Short mmCIF file of all heavy atoms in Angstrom, two decimals:
data_model
loop_
_atom_site.label_atom_id
_atom_site.label_comp_id
_atom_site.label_asym_id
_atom_site.label_seq_id
_atom_site.Cartn_x
_atom_site.Cartn_y
_atom_site.Cartn_z
N GLU L 1 7.43 5.01 6.16
CA GLU L 1 7.75 5.13 7.58
C GLU L 1 9.05 4.40 7.92
O GLU L 1 9.92 4.94 8.62
CB GLU L 1 6.60 4.59 8.44
CG GLU L 1 6.84 4.70 9.93
CD GLU L 1 5.68 4.17 10.75
OE1 GLU L 1 4.68 3.71 10.16
OE2 GLU L 1 5.78 4.19 12.00
N PHE L 2 9.19 3.18 7.42
CA PHE L 2 10.40 2.40 7.73
C PHE L 2 11.62 3.03 7.06
O PHE L 2 12.71 3.04 7.64
CB PHE L 2 10.23 0.96 7.27
CG PHE L 2 11.38 0.07 7.68
CD1 PHE L 2 11.56 -0.29 9.01
CD2 PHE L 2 12.27 -0.42 6.74
CE1 PHE L 2 12.61 -1.10 9.39
CE2 PHE L 2 13.34 -1.23 7.11
CZ PHE L 2 13.50 -1.57 8.46
N SER L 3 11.46 3.56 5.86
CA SER L 3 12.58 4.20 5.15
C SER L 3 13.05 5.43 5.91
O SER L 3 14.25 5.69 6.02
CB SER L 3 12.17 4.56 3.72
OG SER L 3 11.85 3.40 2.98
N ARG L 4 12.12 6.22 6.42
CA ARG L 4 12.48 7.38 7.23
C ARG L 4 13.22 6.94 8.49
O ARG L 4 14.21 7.57 8.89
CB ARG L 4 11.22 8.17 7.61
CG ARG L 4 10.60 8.94 6.47
CD ARG L 4 9.30 9.62 6.90
NE ARG L 4 8.70 10.37 5.80
CZ ARG L 4 8.98 11.63 5.51
NH1 ARG L 4 9.86 12.29 6.27
NH2 ARG L 4 8.41 12.25 4.49
N GLU L 5 12.77 5.87 9.08
CA GLU L 5 13.43 5.37 10.30
C GLU L 5 14.86 4.93 9.99
O GLU L 5 15.78 5.18 10.78
CB GLU L 5 12.61 4.21 10.88
CG GLU L 5 13.00 3.80 12.28
CD GLU L 5 14.12 2.77 12.29
OE1 GLU L 5 14.15 1.93 11.37
OE2 GLU L 5 14.96 2.81 13.21
N CYS L 6 15.07 4.29 8.84
CA CYS L 6 16.41 3.86 8.44
C CYS L 6 17.32 5.07 8.23
O CYS L 6 18.50 5.06 8.64
CB CYS L 6 16.36 3.03 7.15
SG CYS L 6 15.68 1.37 7.37
N LEU L 7 16.80 6.11 7.61
CA LEU L 7 17.58 7.33 7.39
C LEU L 7 17.97 7.98 8.71
O LEU L 7 19.12 8.38 8.91
CB LEU L 7 16.80 8.31 6.53
CG LEU L 7 16.77 8.01 5.03
CD1 LEU L 7 15.66 8.79 4.33
CD2 LEU L 7 18.13 8.33 4.40
N GLU L 8 17.02 8.07 9.62
CA GLU L 8 17.32 8.67 10.92
C GLU L 8 18.34 7.83 11.68
O GLU L 8 19.21 8.36 12.38
CB GLU L 8 16.03 8.85 11.71
CG GLU L 8 15.12 9.91 11.11
CD GLU L 8 13.77 10.00 11.80
OE1 GLU L 8 13.54 9.22 12.75
OE2 GLU L 8 12.96 10.86 11.40
N PHE L 9 18.24 6.51 11.54
CA PHE L 9 19.17 5.61 12.22
C PHE L 9 20.61 5.86 11.78
O PHE L 9 21.54 5.83 12.60
CB PHE L 9 18.79 4.16 11.95
CG PHE L 9 19.70 3.15 12.59
CD1 PHE L 9 19.52 2.79 13.92
CD2 PHE L 9 20.75 2.58 11.89
CE1 PHE L 9 20.36 1.87 14.53
CE2 PHE L 9 21.60 1.67 12.48
CZ PHE L 9 21.40 1.30 13.82
N VAL L 10 20.82 6.13 10.49
CA VAL L 10 22.19 6.33 9.99
C VAL L 10 22.65 7.78 10.16
O VAL L 10 23.78 8.12 9.81
CB VAL L 10 22.34 5.90 8.52
CG1 VAL L 10 21.96 4.43 8.35
CG2 VAL L 10 21.52 6.79 7.59
N GLY L 11 21.76 8.65 10.66
CA GLY L 11 22.17 10.02 10.92
C GLY L 11 21.74 11.04 9.89
O GLY L 11 22.22 12.18 9.91
N VAL L 12 20.84 10.66 8.98
CA VAL L 12 20.29 11.61 8.01
C VAL L 12 18.88 11.95 8.50
O VAL L 12 17.96 11.14 8.39
CB VAL L 12 20.24 11.02 6.59
CG1 VAL L 12 19.64 12.03 5.61
CG2 VAL L 12 21.63 10.61 6.14
N ARG L 13 18.72 13.16 9.03
CA ARG L 13 17.47 13.51 9.71
C ARG L 13 16.68 14.60 9.01
O ARG L 13 15.63 15.02 9.51
CB ARG L 13 17.77 13.92 11.16
CG ARG L 13 18.38 12.78 11.98
CD ARG L 13 18.66 13.16 13.41
NE ARG L 13 19.12 12.01 14.16
CZ ARG L 13 20.40 11.61 14.21
NH1 ARG L 13 21.32 12.30 13.55
NH2 ARG L 13 20.73 10.55 14.90
N GLU L 14 17.17 15.06 7.87
CA GLU L 14 16.45 16.09 7.13
C GLU L 14 16.82 16.01 5.66
O GLU L 14 17.73 15.25 5.28
CB GLU L 14 16.79 17.48 7.69
CG GLU L 14 18.27 17.81 7.63
CD GLU L 14 18.57 19.16 8.29
OE1 GLU L 14 17.66 19.75 8.87
OE2 GLU L 14 19.73 19.60 8.18
N GLY L 15 16.11 16.78 4.84
CA GLY L 15 16.39 16.78 3.41
C GLY L 15 15.92 15.54 2.70
O GLY L 15 16.45 15.19 1.63
N PHE L 16 14.89 14.86 3.22
CA PHE L 16 14.41 13.63 2.61
C PHE L 16 13.88 13.84 1.19
O PHE L 16 13.89 12.91 0.39
CB PHE L 16 13.30 13.00 3.46
CG PHE L 16 13.75 12.51 4.82
CD1 PHE L 16 12.82 12.09 5.75
CD2 PHE L 16 15.10 12.47 5.16
CE1 PHE L 16 13.21 11.64 7.01
CE2 PHE L 16 15.50 12.02 6.41
CZ PHE L 16 14.56 11.61 7.34
N ASP L 17 13.41 15.05 0.90
CA ASP L 17 12.83 15.33 -0.42
C ASP L 17 13.85 15.90 -1.40
O ASP L 17 13.51 16.20 -2.54
CB ASP L 17 11.66 16.31 -0.28
CG ASP L 17 10.49 15.70 0.48
OD1 ASP L 17 10.32 14.47 0.39
OD2 ASP L 17 9.78 16.44 1.18
N ARG L 18 15.09 16.04 -0.97
CA ARG L 18 16.14 16.51 -1.87
C ARG L 18 16.59 15.39 -2.79
O ARG L 18 16.51 14.21 -2.45
CB ARG L 18 17.36 17.00 -1.07
CG ARG L 18 17.18 18.32 -0.37
CD ARG L 18 18.46 18.72 0.34
NE ARG L 18 19.61 18.80 -0.55
CZ ARG L 18 20.83 19.14 -0.15
NH1 ARG L 18 21.06 19.41 1.14
NH2 ARG L 18 21.83 19.21 -1.01
N GLU L 19 17.07 15.77 -3.98
CA GLU L 19 17.68 14.77 -4.85
C GLU L 19 18.91 14.22 -4.15
O GLU L 19 19.77 14.97 -3.69
CB GLU L 19 18.07 15.41 -6.19
CG GLU L 19 18.56 14.41 -7.22
CD GLU L 19 18.82 15.05 -8.57
OE1 GLU L 19 17.99 15.89 -8.98
OE2 GLU L 19 19.86 14.73 -9.17
N ALA L 20 19.01 12.91 -4.05
CA ALA L 20 20.03 12.27 -3.23
C ALA L 20 21.45 12.67 -3.62
O ALA L 20 22.32 12.84 -2.76
CB ALA L 20 19.87 10.75 -3.27
N THR L 21 21.68 12.81 -4.92
CA THR L 21 23.05 13.08 -5.39
C THR L 21 23.48 14.52 -5.15
O THR L 21 24.62 14.87 -5.46
CB THR L 21 23.19 12.73 -6.88
OG1 THR L 21 22.18 13.40 -7.63
CG2 THR L 21 23.05 11.22 -7.08
N THR L 22 22.59 15.35 -4.60
CA THR L 22 22.99 16.73 -4.25
C THR L 22 23.49 16.84 -2.82
O THR L 22 23.96 17.91 -2.41
CB THR L 22 21.81 17.71 -4.45
OG1 THR L 22 20.78 17.42 -3.49
CG2 THR L 22 21.25 17.62 -5.85
N LEU L 23 23.39 15.77 -2.06
CA LEU L 23 23.87 15.79 -0.69
C LEU L 23 25.39 15.79 -0.65
O LEU L 23 26.05 15.38 -1.61
CB LEU L 23 23.37 14.56 0.08
CG LEU L 23 21.86 14.42 0.32
CD1 LEU L 23 21.59 13.13 1.07
CD2 LEU L 23 21.30 15.61 1.07
N ALA L 24 25.95 16.22 0.48
CA ALA L 24 27.39 16.09 0.69
C ALA L 24 27.78 14.61 0.60
O ALA L 24 26.98 13.72 0.91
CB ALA L 24 27.77 16.66 2.05
#
């Protein structure tokens, strides 16, 4: 829950289950 909140705080609101290194 806290990790999701941190992601949303920095502006990453979707794709949580994607491999991180595939993101822009």
Side-chain angles (χ1 to χ4, degrees):
E1 181 179 0
F2 186 71
S3 297
R4 287 176 180 272
E5 193 273 325
C6 288
L7 282 164
E8 292 174 359
F9 180 83
V10 302
V12 179
R13 297 181 175 86
E14 59 184 6
F16 294 171
D17 294 329
R18 286 182 57 180
E19 187 175 318
T21 53
T22 67
L23 295 179

